[in-house]
Protein backbone atom coordinates (compact mmCIF):
# COMPACT_ATOMS: atom_id res chain seq x y z
CA UNK A 1 0.00 0.00 0.00
CA UNK A 2 1.15 3.60 -0.60
CA UNK A 3 2.77 5.47 2.31
CA UNK A 4 0.53 7.63 4.46
CA UNK A 5 1.59 11.19 5.19
CA UNK A 6 0.41 12.04 8.74
CA UNK A 7 0.23 15.78 8.01
CA UNK A 8 -1.92 15.49 4.88
CA UNK A 9 -5.36 17.00 5.36
CA UNK A 10 -8.20 14.54 5.39
CA UNK A 11 -11.07 15.04 3.02
CA UNK A 12 -14.37 15.24 4.80
CA UNK A 13 -17.83 15.21 3.38
CA UNK A 14 -20.36 17.94 4.13
CA UNK A 15 -23.20 15.48 4.53
CA UNK A 16 -25.85 16.35 7.02
CA UNK A 17 -26.04 14.41 10.25
CA UNK A 18 -29.67 14.04 11.23
CA UNK A 19 -32.52 16.43 10.63
CA UNK A 20 -31.80 20.13 10.36
CA UNK A 21 -33.87 23.10 9.30
CA UNK A 22 -34.20 26.84 8.93
CA UNK A 23 -36.58 28.60 11.31
CA UNK A 24 -37.40 32.01 9.85
CA UNK A 25 -39.56 35.07 10.40
CA UNK A 26 -40.61 37.29 7.51
CA UNK A 27 -41.93 40.77 8.38
CA UNK A 28 -43.28 43.29 5.85
CA UNK A 29 -44.61 46.85 6.22
CA UNK A 30 -45.89 49.46 3.79
CA UNK A 31 -48.58 48.65 1.24
CA UNK A 32 -48.77 45.25 2.99
CA UNK A 33 -48.28 44.73 6.72
CA UNK A 34 -47.85 41.09 7.63
CA UNK A 35 -45.49 38.72 9.40
CA UNK A 36 -45.06 34.97 9.43
CA UNK A 37 -42.78 32.46 11.13
CA UNK A 38 -42.06 29.15 9.41
CA UNK A 39 -39.60 26.27 9.13
CA UNK A 40 -37.92 24.85 6.05
CA UNK A 41 -36.42 21.37 6.15
CA UNK A 42 -32.81 21.11 5.00
CA UNK A 43 -32.62 17.32 5.15
CA UNK A 44 -31.19 16.99 1.63
CA UNK A 45 -28.60 19.74 2.11
CA UNK A 46 -25.32 19.82 4.07
CA UNK A 47 -25.31 20.60 7.79
CA UNK A 48 -25.69 24.29 8.73
CA UNK A 49 -22.01 25.31 8.97
CA UNK A 50 -21.09 23.46 5.77
CA UNK A 51 -24.09 24.99 4.02
CA UNK A 52 -23.03 28.48 5.14
CA UNK A 53 -19.52 27.88 3.87
CA UNK A 54 -20.37 26.42 0.47
CA UNK A 55 -23.92 27.51 -0.28
CA UNK A 56 -26.43 25.46 -2.19
CA UNK A 57 -26.05 24.26 -5.78
CA UNK A 58 -24.12 26.29 -8.37
CA UNK A 59 -22.56 28.87 -5.98
CA UNK A 60 -25.96 30.09 -4.86
CA UNK A 61 -27.49 30.94 -1.48
CA UNK A 62 -31.28 31.08 -1.25
CA UNK A 63 -32.90 32.59 1.82
CA UNK A 64 -35.45 30.40 3.61
CA UNK A 65 -38.91 30.25 2.03
CA UNK A 66 -42.24 29.13 3.37
CA UNK A 67 -43.27 26.11 1.36
CA UNK A 68 -46.74 26.04 2.90
CA UNK A 69 -47.68 29.72 2.51
CA UNK A 70 -46.76 30.62 -1.07
CA UNK A 71 -48.99 33.72 -1.09
CA UNK A 72 -46.70 35.30 1.55
CA UNK A 73 -43.11 34.45 0.72
CA UNK A 74 -39.83 36.11 -0.19
CA UNK A 75 -37.70 34.70 -2.99
CA UNK A 76 -34.10 35.92 -2.92
CA UNK A 77 -30.83 34.38 -4.12
CA UNK A 78 -27.16 35.35 -3.92
CA UNK A 79 -25.23 34.32 -7.03
CA UNK A 80 -22.31 33.94 -6.93
CA UNK A 81 -22.28 33.02 -3.25
CA UNK A 82 -18.79 33.29 -1.75
CA UNK A 83 -19.43 32.16 1.81
CA UNK A 84 -20.52 33.93 5.00
CA UNK A 85 -20.66 37.72 4.97
CA UNK A 86 -22.85 40.65 4.06
CA UNK A 87 -24.03 41.10 0.48
CA UNK A 88 -25.41 44.48 -0.64
CA UNK A 89 -24.47 44.76 -4.31
CA UNK A 90 -27.54 44.37 -6.51
CA UNK A 91 -25.47 42.40 -9.06
CA UNK A 92 -25.08 39.64 -6.41
CA UNK A 93 -28.86 39.18 -6.49
CA UNK A 94 -29.32 39.17 -10.29
CA UNK A 95 -32.90 40.50 -10.10
CA UNK A 96 -33.92 37.44 -8.07
CA UNK A 97 -35.77 39.36 -5.35
CA UNK A 98 -39.55 39.19 -5.27
CA UNK A 99 -42.10 39.18 -2.51
CA UNK A 100 -45.46 37.48 -2.87
CA UNK A 101 -47.99 39.04 -0.50
CA UNK A 102 -51.74 39.59 -0.37
CA UNK A 103 -52.86 43.15 -1.09
CA UNK A 104 -56.53 44.09 -0.69
CA UNK A 105 -57.64 40.47 -0.92
CA UNK A 106 -55.63 39.43 -3.98
CA UNK A 107 -52.17 37.95 -4.42
CA UNK A 108 -49.63 40.59 -5.40
CA UNK A 109 -45.95 40.52 -6.33
CA UNK A 110 -43.42 43.17 -5.28
CA UNK A 111 -40.13 43.34 -7.20
CA UNK A 112 -36.81 45.18 -7.30
CA UNK A 113 -36.96 48.61 -8.91
CA UNK A 114 -34.56 51.50 -9.24
CA UNK A 115 -34.01 52.72 -5.69
CA UNK A 116 -34.58 49.35 -4.00
CA UNK A 117 -32.19 48.77 -1.08
CA UNK A 118 -31.14 45.19 -0.37
CA UNK A 119 -28.85 43.51 2.15
CA UNK A 120 -28.29 39.89 3.20
CA UNK A 121 -25.98 38.68 5.96
CA UNK A 122 -25.15 34.97 6.21
CA UNK A 123 -23.32 33.89 9.37
CA UNK A 124 -20.86 30.99 9.57
CA UNK A 125 -23.42 28.86 11.45
CA UNK A 126 -26.03 29.23 8.66
CA UNK A 127 -28.17 31.80 10.45
CA UNK A 128 -28.70 35.21 8.94
CA UNK A 129 -30.85 38.17 8.07
CA UNK A 130 -32.10 39.99 5.01
CA UNK A 131 -33.51 43.51 4.78
CA UNK A 132 -35.18 45.26 1.89
CA UNK A 133 -36.87 48.56 1.19
CA UNK A 134 -38.76 49.92 -1.78
CA UNK A 135 -39.83 46.70 -3.42
CA UNK A 136 -42.80 47.70 -5.58
CA UNK A 137 -45.77 46.09 -7.26
CA UNK A 138 -47.14 46.98 -10.70
CA UNK A 139 -48.95 50.01 -9.23
CA UNK A 140 -45.66 51.24 -7.68
CA UNK A 141 -46.89 50.56 -4.15
CA UNK A 142 -43.79 50.08 -1.94
CA UNK A 143 -43.03 47.60 0.83
CA UNK A 144 -40.08 47.22 3.18
CA UNK A 145 -39.19 44.44 5.54
CA UNK A 146 -36.86 41.81 6.83
CA UNK A 147 -36.36 38.10 7.20
CA UNK A 148 -34.28 36.59 9.97
CA UNK A 149 -33.45 32.91 10.35
CA UNK A 150 -31.62 30.36 12.41
CA UNK A 151 -30.22 27.07 11.19
CA UNK A 152 -30.26 24.11 13.52
Amino acid sequence: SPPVCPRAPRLTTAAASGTHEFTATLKVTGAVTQSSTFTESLSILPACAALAKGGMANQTWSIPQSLTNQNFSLNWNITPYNGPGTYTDATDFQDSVDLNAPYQGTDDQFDQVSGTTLSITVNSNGSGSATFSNLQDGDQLPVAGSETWTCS
Side-chain angles (χ1 to χ4, degrees):
S1 69
V4 176
C5 177
R7 292 193 177 119
R10 293 180 182 240
L11 294 177
T12 58
T13 62
S17 57
T19 302
H20 58 292
E21 65 188 11
F22 283 133
T23 301
T25 300
L26 172 61
K27 296 179 181 179
V28 176
T29 61
V32 172
T33 300
Q34 187 170 348
S35 68
S36 176
T37 298
F38 58 91
T39 59
E40 179 183 357
S41 173
L42 301 173
S43 61
I44 63 170
L45 294 172
C48 296
L51 184 62
K53 183 177 180 181
M56 293 144 186
N58 303 318
Q59 294 184 317
T60 296
W61 178 273
S62 298
I63 68 166
Q65 285 188 299
S66 172
L67 301 177
T68 58
N69 188 3
Q70 292 296 306
N71 69 339
F72 184 62
S73 63
L74 181 62
N75 178 41
W76 193 343
N77 302 311
I78 303 169
T79 307
Y81 177 72
N82 297 309
T86 298
Y87 296 80
T88 58
D89 188 331
T91 61
D92 292 331
F93 310 130
Q94 300 184 7
D95 293 323
S96 70
V97 183
D98 61 71
L99 171 74
N100 296 308
Y103 175 72
Q104 295 184 345
T106 62
D107 292 341
D108 203 350
Q109 183 169 316
F110 298 82
D111 299 299
Q112 287 174 252
V113 296
S114 178
T116 296
T117 303
L118 304 167
S119 177
I120 293 180
T121 298
V122 179
N123 301 312
S124 61
N125 64 1
S127 67
S129 62
T131 59
F132 57 90
S133 65
N134 199 34
L135 293 180
Q136 295 183 9
D137 70 355
D139 293 326
Q140 299 180 336
L141 296 172
V143 293
S146 64
E147 183 169 306
T148 56
W149 65 90
T150 59
C151 189
S152 57

